[in-house]
């Protein structure tokens, strides 16, 4: 009989080979497995056949229903010691039932990224207006996401920028937050020595799932504004676009005569990335930290991105390429990095430094274990001090129970 039982309530079934969110969830799963938890993963979504091998991992799975008392019976029988909510939406849907049926369970919110921040930036871009944090605070989705953070015992925040935003702009207590970015293996010297050299790589690439709006916008922005200008300067260069679930209107942008090739899903991200000289990722809105940019660092591929793309990813360390926002600057720096081996090698080394100093499992996993163990020991005191969370849980349980019936 396991003394530590974890229930993960997934917004979707994780696909680590297709999405950064799936990779993030797999990292958390491995942490809890290594800490001797019995894990059950449950979701209201339909499985699509490209998820984890749950049986091989020793993880039980369950399909759960919204607004249905069957979940009450399910979680009561499971009696988890920790519940992880995958994004604020699952906390909204099931948090009150978890609190009611298993009040002793530690409630952890994995935000993935701040959905409200991504939404507010998208709206600002659509309206042709500069983004401001005051506008973010005014959005209804922001209020919902902040309420979810308060109702949880701890929220895992992936970006250092979002940690600062939540504490300094939204006044969320630090005790409710834990900065926990992607957790990967250290980049060892042997791996670096195996990477293809500058001369062995060619062309540019971009990778991003078609289910993520910032990736769709970025692809359209590149073909309409950025790539034609680069192609004029580098007529033999090509830009290859990869991603799972690319919609038809993105697939239709495949134009080999312009050097713009839509490749679809990459079978192996590491092998694919190492073929290319640079990654071009001029993201115009978004939130969190970008798996595509971290992967590029891990596989020796320098990147051109925007301040939003690099946000919360490199601390005070120099970027592994260039961070530029204006179209002509993006073009100029892309050509520069693509053409100059010395700058390219320096950018590659910068990426290694960022990964090894900010994203290694060895440094980050102890922080997660320490916080969870501390909360489990002093959960009553922690909740007593979270007065706003207690108020929100009280009102949310009352209102959501009413709506659920």
């Amino acid at each position: 009989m396991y003394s530590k039982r974890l229930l993960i309530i997934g917004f979707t079934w994780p696909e680590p080979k297709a999405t950064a969110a799936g990779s993030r969830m797999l990292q958390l799963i491995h942490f809890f497995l290594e800490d001797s938890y019995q894990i059950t993963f449950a979701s209201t979504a339909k499985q699509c056949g490209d998820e984890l091998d749950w049986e091989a991992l020793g993880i039980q799975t369950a399909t759960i229903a919204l607004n249905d008392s069957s979940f009450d019976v399910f979680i009561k029988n499971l009696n988890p010691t920790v519940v992880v909510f995958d994004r604020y939406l699952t906390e909204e849907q099931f948090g009150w039932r978890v609190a009611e049926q298993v009040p002793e369970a530690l409630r952890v919110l994995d935000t993935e990224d701040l959905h409200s921040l991504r939404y507010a930036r998208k709206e600002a871009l659509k309206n042709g207006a500069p983004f401001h944090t005051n506008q973010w605070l005014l959005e209804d989705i922001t209020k919902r996401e902040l309420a979810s953070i308060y109702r949880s015992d701890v929220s895992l925040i992936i970006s250092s920028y979002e940690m600062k935003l939540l504490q300094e702009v939204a006044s969320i207590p630090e005790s409710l937050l834990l900065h926990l970015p992607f957790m990967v293996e250290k980049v060892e010297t042997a791996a670096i020595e195996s990477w293809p050299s500058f001369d062995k790589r060619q062309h540019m690439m971009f990778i991003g799932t078609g289910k993520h709006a910032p990736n769709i916008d970025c692809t359209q922005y590149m073909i309409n504004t950025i790539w034609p200008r680069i192609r004029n300067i580098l007529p033999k260069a090509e830009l290859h676009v990869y991603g799972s679930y690319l919609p038809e209107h993105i697939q239709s942008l495949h134009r080999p005569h312009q050097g713009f090739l839509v490749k679809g899903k990459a079978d192996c991200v590491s092998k694919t990335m190492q073929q290319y000289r640079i990654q071009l990722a001029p993201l115009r809105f978004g939130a969190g930290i970008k798996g595509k940019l971290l992967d590029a660092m891990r596989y020796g591929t320098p990147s051109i991105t925007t301040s939003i793309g690099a946000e919360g990813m490199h601390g005070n360390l120099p970027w592994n390429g260039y961070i530029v926002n204006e179209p002509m600057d993006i073009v100029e720096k892309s050509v520069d990095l693509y053409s100059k081996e010395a700058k390219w090698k320096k950018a590659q080394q910068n990426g290694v430094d960022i990964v090894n100093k900010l994203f290694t499992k060895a440094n980050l996993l102890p922080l997660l274990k320490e916080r969870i163990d501390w909360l489990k020991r002093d959960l009553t005191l922690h909740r007593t001090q979270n007065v706003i969370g207690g108020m929100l849980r009280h009102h949310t349980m009352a209102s959501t129970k009413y709506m659920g019936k």
Side-chain angles (χ1 to χ4, degrees), residues 321-342:
Y322 290 111
I323 302 170
V324 281
N325 295 311
E326 296 302 320
M328 291 311 300
D329 293 335
I330 295 169
V331 172
E332 177 189 341
K333 295 302 184 182
S334 297
V335 172
D336 184 62
L337 192 58
Y338 189 84
S339 306
K340 296 177 180 176
E341 184 174 1

Side-chain angles (χ1 to χ4, degrees), residues 24 70 84 112 184 204 219 229 243 339 404:
R24 162 68 162 195
S70 61
V84 171
E112 297 284 359
V184 298
M204 305 182 191
T219 303
R229 293 182 168 97
S339 306

Side-chain angles (χ1 to χ4, degrees), residues 78-284:
L78 189 65
N79 193 26
T81 48
V82 179
V83 177
V84 171
F85 300 102
D86 173 25
R87 291 164 255 201
Y88 83 94
L89 290 164
T90 62
E91 192 282 331
E92 278 190 336
Q93 294 162 348
F94 292 99
W96 67 276
R97 290 185 182 274
V98 171
E100 191 173 70
Q101 299 300 322
V102 284
E104 301 299 319
L106 177 66
R107 298 187 292 270
V108 179
L109 172 62
D110 184 35
T111 57
E112 297 284 359
D113 61 26
L114 288 182
H115 292 47
S116 55
L117 178 61
R118 174 159 30 97
Y119 173 84
R121 284 176 166 162
K122 182 180 180 180
E123 290 298 297
L125 178 65
K126 184 173 71 175
N127 297 326
F131 168 77
H132 197 280
T133 54
N134 285 344
Q135 185 58 44
W136 168 69
L137 285 173
L138 291 172
E139 298 287 353
D140 287 345
I141 186 175
T142 303
K143 298 177 179 67
R144 290 169 56 192
E145 195 161 26
L146 295 180
S148 184
I149 290 171
Y150 269 112
R151 287 192 299 264
S152 302
D153 295 313
V154 64
S155 292
L156 308 180
I157 309 301
I158 206 165
S159 160
S160 59
Y161 171 83
E162 291 178 7
M163 278 289 288
K164 185 176 181 180
L165 182 72
L166 290 169
Q167 291 177 254
E168 296 183 5
V169 178
S171 301
I172 303 288
E174 186 180 5
S175 61
L176 298 179
L177 309 172
L178 176 64
H179 179 218
L180 193 75
F182 291 128
M183 301 171 286
V184 298
E185 299 291 345
K186 181 181 179 181
V187 180
E188 301 287 356
T189 302
I192 297 171
E193 291 174 347
S194 72
W195 289 341
S197 64
F198 178 86
D199 291 333
K200 296 286 177 62
R201 297 174 181 238
Q202 61 177 344
H203 305 315
M204 305 182 191
M205 58 90 65
F206 173 78
I207 189 167
T209 177
K211 290 183 175 181
H212 198 51
N215 293 332
I216 299 301
D217 174 78
C218 185
T219 303
Q220 294 170 320
Y221 178 52
M222 288 190 295
I223 194 169
N224 292 328
T225 305
I226 304 300
W227 182 246
R229 293 182 168 97
I230 294 177
R231 179 78 167 181
N232 283 339
I233 303 170
L234 301 172
K236 293 184 179 180
E238 297 175 356
L239 175 59
H240 297 181
V241 175
Y242 291 88
S244 58
Y245 304 108
L246 296 179
E248 286 188 15
H249 72 278
I250 294 298
Q251 295 180 41
S252 69
L253 298 177
H254 182 73
R255 299 170 188 173
H257 63 287
Q258 297 177 13
F260 193 95
L261 285 72
V262 180
K263 295 279 193 173
K265 185 178 180 180
D267 292 329
C268 178
V269 173
S270 61
K271 290 182 179 178
T272 298
M273 280 197 161
Q274 291 180 55
Q275 299 173 29
Y276 295 93
R277 193 168 291 176
I278 65 173
Q279 177 169 218
L280 183 60
L283 296 156
R284 299 199 295 171

Side-chain angles (χ1 to χ4, degrees), residues 67-68 72 96-97 100 397-405:
N67 298 327
D68 195 306
D72 298 344
W96 67 276
R97 290 185 182 274
E100 191 173 70
M397 279 198 280
S399 61
T400 316
K401 267 178 85 171
Y402 175 78
M403 294 300 292
K405 291 178 179 179

Side-chain angles (χ1 to χ4, degrees), residues 308-368:
I308 285 178
E311 180 180 88
M313 289 198 68
H314 63 110
N316 296 320
L317 300 174
W319 186 248
N320 73 318
Y322 290 111
I323 302 170
V324 281
N325 295 311
E326 296 302 320
M328 291 311 300
D329 293 335
I330 295 169
V331 172
E332 177 189 341
K333 295 302 184 182
S334 297
V335 172
D336 184 62
L337 192 58
Y338 189 84
S339 306
K340 296 177 180 176
E341 184 174 1
K343 289 186 177 181
W344 183 88
K345 286 183 175 179
K346 176 59 178 171
Q348 189 181 66
Q349 183 57 51
N350 288 346
V352 173
D353 292 342
I354 291 170
V355 173
N356 289 349
K357 292 178 181 177
L358 301 179
F359 293 98
T360 59
K361 290 167 58 176
N363 292 334
L364 295 170
L365 289 179
L367 301 178
L368 177 58

